[in-house]
Amino acid sequence: MNISQAAKLSGLSVKTVRYYADIKIVEPARDIQSGYRSYSNDDVAKLNFIGKARRFNFSIEECRELLSLYQDKNRSSKEVKKLTLAKIASIDEKLKEFHSLRDELSHLVNCCNGDDRPSCPILDELSK
Amino acid sequence: MNISQAAKLSGLSVKTVRYYADIKIVEPARDIQSGYRSYSNDDVAKLNFIGKARRFNFSIEECRELLSLYQDKNRSSKEVKKLTLAKIASIDEKLKEFHSLRDELSHLVNCCNGDDRPSCPILDELSK
DNA sequence: TATAAAGTCTCCTGTTACTGGAATGTAAAG
DNA sequence: CTTTACATTCCAGTAACAGGAGACTTTATA
């Protein structure tokens, strides 16, 4: 099938699918006549896989790794679990950061009158 | 003072400080002899301000806005509060996303044996 | 069948907020 | 006077694409 069909089936944009071909993560066959990319069902399955992994916040390089594990019938689930645990840990870090950011900001907002006068504890804090 | 001094006082890297000059957010004077950037205490205060605002997850453009509010003695605290509330809202969104990501991933991890056998519910989920 | 429209191709630029490095020039220390 | 430290500009790279130009192929319509 052509690229737009593959894009539709995988829920990705044509641009993204073409990008994935460029970076050699999903490399479709080529129609010799037209030079058009020609996607198999298997290619679409890979696109789907990557799309999902991306939504789980895995980077492209991690997707590459997961994909090769996925295609390796002898892989151990241990390896996949390890990658996933590392991902969870990095998400936890971000969660912590954002939580404390949020707390500090909302504290500042609560101290700020939000009126037409210039006095503003938010700016005061930023300039300390 | 020279750029390295300004960088040290503001807790930013020299590269970053130079970058901030390039994008015209903190524009120091120039030494006519050497062409070196020459930072005043006021410039350093701005660098500090920006550094803090960045740590609060404000983008450079938002920093620009906050900085001009900061320098406007007639600004109303309302404007600053509005920006900050918007920032909190966007952080809340990210928090929500990351929370649900985390939950899904840890659910998958709990289902995965993590042994030397190939069966892996994580990959199964990604390939669905 | 001629033409128009839709789809595809490659290549280039821009995004965010810097970081690293090369080549070169200036200032301070010995 | 030379070494060393610090400064300058300019270019490339980062992550993961999106947008657009110009050219070509395929498909649909008149």
Side-chain angles (χ1 to χ4, degrees), chain B residues 9 25 66 74 88 94 101 106 113 115 126:
Chain B
L9 288 178
I25 186 163
L66 285 170
N74 297 317
I88 290 177
K94 284 187 194 167
L101 263 183
S106 65
N113 292 319
D115 54 24
L126 288 175

Side-chain angles (χ1 to χ4, degrees), chain B residues 37-116:
Chain B
R37 291 177 179 81
S38 174
Y39 288 83
S40 66
N41 289 330
D42 208 54
D43 291 330
V44 172
K46 285 190 203 173
L47 289 173
N48 257 313
F49 183 96
I50 296 166
K52 254 201 183 158
R54 292 284 301 125
R55 262 168 267 136
F56 277 117
N57 204 246
F58 286 100
S59 72
I60 289 286
E61 288 314 307
E62 287 167 331
C63 288
R64 235 184 257 279
E65 215 170 327
L66 285 170
L67 200 53
S68 83
L69 288 173
Y70 176 54
Q71 294 177 300
D72 175 6
K73 289 293 157 213
N74 297 317
R75 94 257 153 164
S76 61
S77 63
K78 203 162 50 180
E79 301 174 73
V80 185
K81 190 165 184 168
K82 195 176 148 197
L83 257 178
T84 310
L85 281 170
K87 179 54 56 180
I88 290 177
S90 88
I91 289 177
D92 279 345
E93 276 207 35
K94 284 187 194 167
L95 276 175
K96 242 174 64 186
E97 274 179 51
F98 279 125
H99 264 304
S100 75
L101 263 183
R102 204 223 114 90
D103 288 350
E104 292 181 71
L105 283 179
S106 65
H107 171 69
L108 287 178
V109 155
N110 287 336
C111 298
C112 177
N113 292 319
D115 54 24
D116 292 320

Side-chain angles (χ1 to χ4, degrees), chain A residues 48-50 52-53 56 58 62 66-67 69-70 75-88, chain B residues 103-115 117-128:
Chain A
N48 257 313
F49 183 95
I50 296 167
K52 257 207 177 153
F56 276 117
F58 285 101
E62 289 167 330
L66 286 170
L67 200 53
L69 289 174
Y70 175 55
R75 92 257 154 167
S76 60
S77 63
K78 203 161 49 180
E79 300 176 73
V80 184
K81 190 165 186 170
K82 194 175 148 195
L83 257 178
T84 309
L85 282 170
K87 181 52 58 182
I88 290 177
Chain B
D103 288 350
E104 292 181 71
L105 283 179
S106 65
H107 171 69
L108 287 178
V109 155
N110 287 336
C111 298
C112 177
N113 292 319
D115 54 24
R117 282 169 301 163
S119 150
C120 177
I122 299 172
L123 293 180
D124 291 349
E125 173 64 28
L126 288 175
S127 65
K128 271 204 306 210

